[in-house]
Amino acid sequence: MVWRWYVYSCPICRKTYQRSLSPFQLGSGKRRCPNCTSVFDDGTREWPELPPMKKFEYVCPTMVLGYFGGTAIVIGYAFFMAADSRELNLMLGVLLLCTVLPWIPYFLSRSDAIRSSRERFVRRQSLGDGQDVILPL
């Protein structure tokens, strides 16, 4: 399997502050580098500010879609190869355990990040547009 990582770094000192499967990150848009203490626009936006397609790409980046596309092909092959329904049920159960269950922590972490992003957005809206939240690296 090929892992496609996106690497995010400070534009001033080039210190890497995050690696992710997704090309989009959630945040206030401003970040302070602990290495050089500069504040910069990191390109992040909060969940409510993202258009629907970027929301989908945040939850299901290209690598995740490719992984589940491959899983769908294997499931189709299982339907073709199974001799009877008992064997098919066994094959589908093993496929579920081996392909879907490992992704549960990933999707749980994404849902937690979305929840945090919504909370930051509501907090920022209540403080007014003049108050920016600067995230640490």
Side-chain angles (χ1 to χ4, degrees):
M1 181 185 316
V2 176
W3 291 92
R4 182 176 181 179
W5 290 100
Y6 293 90
V7 177
Y8 301 94
S9 59
C10 173
I12 309 300
C13 68
R14 302 288 184 224
K15 176 180 171 43
T16 298
Y17 61 87
Q18 190 168 19
R19 287 182 175 84
S20 175
L21 295 175
S22 175
F24 305 108
Q25 295 303 304
L26 299 177
S28 63
K30 296 195 190 270
R31 198 168 297 264
R32 180 182 307 276
C33 179
N35 195 37
C36 66
T37 68
S38 64
V39 175
F40 58 93
D41 183 359
D42 63 356
T44 61
R45 299 298 172 251
E46 299 296 2
W47 182 258
E49 298 172 319
L50 292 177
M53 190 61 191
K54 291 199 188 260
K55 288 179 180 180
F56 177 76
E57 288 181 64
Y58 176 76
V59 175
C60 296
T62 305
M63 199 216 54
V64 173
L65 291 177
Y67 183 85
F68 284 110
T71 300
I73 291 170
V74 171
I75 288 172
Y77 186 70
F79 275 102
F80 178 72
M81 293 303 295
D84 57 13
S85 64
R86 201 168 129 226
E87 185 178 345
L88 178 64
N89 288 339
L90 176 66
M91 288 161 72
L92 292 178
V94 169
L95 284 170
L96 176 69
L97 286 173
C98 294
T99 59
V100 176
L101 288 181
W103 284 95
I104 289 176
Y106 168 79
F107 287 111
L108 287 176
S109 70
R110 288 294 180 181
S111 67
D112 186 50
I114 291 168
R115 181 193 50 76
S116 297
S117 177
R118 285 181 176 155
E119 289 173 359
R120 279 192 309 267
F121 183 76
V122 168
R123 188 171 47 241
R124 193 174 74 204
Q125 293 299 325
S126 67
L127 292 174
D129 290 332
Q131 299 293 326
D132 286 332
V133 177
I134 299 173
L135 298 173
L137 294 180

